[in-house]
Amino acid sequence: MGFQTIEYDPMCDQDNPQKISFEDVSAAAFRIQSGIIKTPCVKSHMSKSYGMEIFLKNDFLQHTGSFKERGARNALLLLPPEAKSRGVISASLGNHSQGLSYHANQLNIPTTVVMPNVAPIMKIENCRSYGANVVVHGHDMKEAKFHAMTLAKEKGLTYINGYDHPHIMAGQGTVGLEILEQVPDVDAILVPVGGGGLLAGVATAVKHLKPHVLIYGVETEKCPSMEEAIRQKAPYSVDIRSTLADGLAVPTVGYNAFFTVKSLIDKMITVNEDWLARAILRLVEQEKYVVEGGGAVGVAAIMAGLVPELANKKVVCILSGGNIDTTILGRCLERGLAAEQRLVKFKVTVSDRPGGIAELCKHLASLGVSIKDMMQERAWVYGDIFSVRVKVVCETRGPEHMTELRNIIMDTYKEWYFAQEWDERHRRPSRDSLDDVSH
């Protein structure tokens, strides 16, 4: 049996793509309303900082922590009786699997979900707790999907594509209907893009009712599959690199999704991982929201200054999911603090005679800099035998405070190196090696 035979999904046929309509979305809204939370869309505390009225559509407040429930419930309710009794199967990194497992459990439909081994453990365990048969298989979504479709064929299960099935896209579009109801005079909506299902649904709903509202798709630069599809004028596979937005790491956008959005979308934006980390940090600090990388891309685009044309406009960012792995959240917060120059790492060579390190600490204390970690290195210090190189990780109030710190270190010591010489345009360190020392 060939790869193409197994891969073929009648609901997602590249030679015969299906475009969803506004009627599909409005029918889905009525169909799923009893099982879905109508999530709030609230004005952000960040609005003044960025010169626009920012509203946050909190779809991470759904029961399983993401918007994926909307499409999953719609697709399950539209299954014919015999398909419901046999059961469904899907492949997902986590959010679609959770939404499908939860609603299938409510509707008494047997469910199998195939998840790659890179899926967060929390999401795998959640699916099991919702009663699904969880199969962990493959290193990425491509391998997981191939295995899921093989199992579907072998066991007579209905395969439900998590982002490209027309019923899934129609369900996701209900987010757009709610936004128009909650912020009637919205000017632009920033939509996270992985496989393109949410973008297709929201664009279909919003452009039908209010064609002037701008629809921007936002994805991580580590997996720009929709941007590449638009450039190639067809879905095109891109390489997946590790990303904080793991839920958006779909190598090829859906054929139905692309066919639906290509004439509706106003702009595609890709964001850098450092801005993603900063957005996650900002949402925690200012809004008290814990949002996963894929849900924070819209906020990241605003923070990175990628939408200057939206100044003084009403902008809605869809916070599509909140299922971030706890370990990753900790890393994100630290990465965000480092990107904002509030967590600083530097090396400095000081005298190894009594009082040398104490003097360094006194300088830091005089500035109000908080030391988080300090490590001494003697064996690999060249030159003066009475010197010690000290690596310091410390917390500052931001770039101005960091500049004060840098100035006092430069004025006091001959050999020093700051790890955070940022190139503002690319947000990358200007030196590759922390072993370099500036004089």
Side-chain angles (χ1 to χ4, degrees), residues 46 54 56 190 279 282-283 295-304 317 319:
M46 297 183 282
I54 302 169
L56 304 173
L190 304 188
R282 193 61 55 86
L283 286 164
V297 287
V299 173
I302 291 172
M303 290 177 64
C317 293
L319 305 185

Side-chain angles (χ1 to χ4, degrees), residues 144-275:
K145 182 180 177 185
F146 179 73
H147 188 63
M149 298 194 81
T150 306
L151 290 176
K153 199 166 185 72
E154 286 174 1
K155 300 186 177 182
L157 305 174
T158 301
Y159 181 80
I160 299 179
N161 186 300
Y163 51 86
D164 202 34
H165 194 293
H167 301 161
I168 291 282
M169 295 193 300
Q172 320 304 31
T174 60
V175 177
L177 295 179
E178 288 179 18
I179 289 171
L180 293 184
E181 191 182 322
Q182 293 164 321
V183 189
D185 50 350
V186 62
D187 294 304
I189 301 173
L190 304 188
V191 187
V193 180
L198 179 62
L199 182 65
V202 170
T204 297
V206 172
K207 289 292 189 181
H208 178 85
L209 293 172
K210 298 195 173 177
H212 68 277
V213 175
L214 297 171
I215 302 292
Y216 288 3
V218 192
E219 56 194 354
T220 168
E221 68 174 18
K222 291 288 186 81
C223 188
S225 46
M226 184 61 82
E227 186 180 65
E228 191 60 31
I230 288 170
R231 188 181 295 122
Q232 301 282 348
K233 297 189 167 70
Y236 187 85
S237 184
V238 300
D239 292 331
I240 304 176
R241 291 174 288 161
S242 295
T243 169
L244 297 177
D246 60 301
L248 304 185
V250 179
T252 312
V253 296
Y255 290 97
N256 297 331
F258 178 74
F259 187 66
T260 300
V261 305
K262 64 180 182 179
S263 60
L264 298 176
I265 190 171
D266 294 288
K267 185 177 182 180
M268 271 307 301
I269 300 164
T270 57
V271 294
N272 178 282
E273 293 284 301
D274 281 321
W275 284 108

Side-chain angles (χ1 to χ4, degrees), residues 278-313:
R278 292 176 73 168
I280 291 168
L281 172 66
R282 193 61 55 86
L283 286 164
V284 168
E285 286 188 327
Q286 295 204 7
E287 312 294 339
K288 314 308 174 203
Y289 298 157
V290 176
V291 176
E292 63 187 88
V297 287
V299 173
I302 291 172
M303 290 177 64
L306 301 176
V307 287
E309 69 277 14
L310 300 183
N312 303 314
K313 307 249 185 209

Side-chain angles (χ1 to χ4, degrees), residues 3-23:
F3 183 85
Q4 289 299 323
T5 312
I6 298 169
E7 267 281 318
Y8 179 69
D9 180 356
M11 300 303 288
C12 308
D13 182 358
Q14 66 183 82
D15 297 321
N16 186 29
Q18 300 179 52
K19 189 175 186 177
I20 61 168
S21 67
F22 174 75
E23 288 70 30

Side-chain angles (χ1 to χ4, degrees), residues 426-439:
H426 296 296
R427 304 298 306 169
R428 291 189 179 121
S430 65
R431 304 269 180 99
D432 292 324
S433 169
L434 296 192
D435 292 324
D436 292 344
V437 176
S438 299
H439 295 269

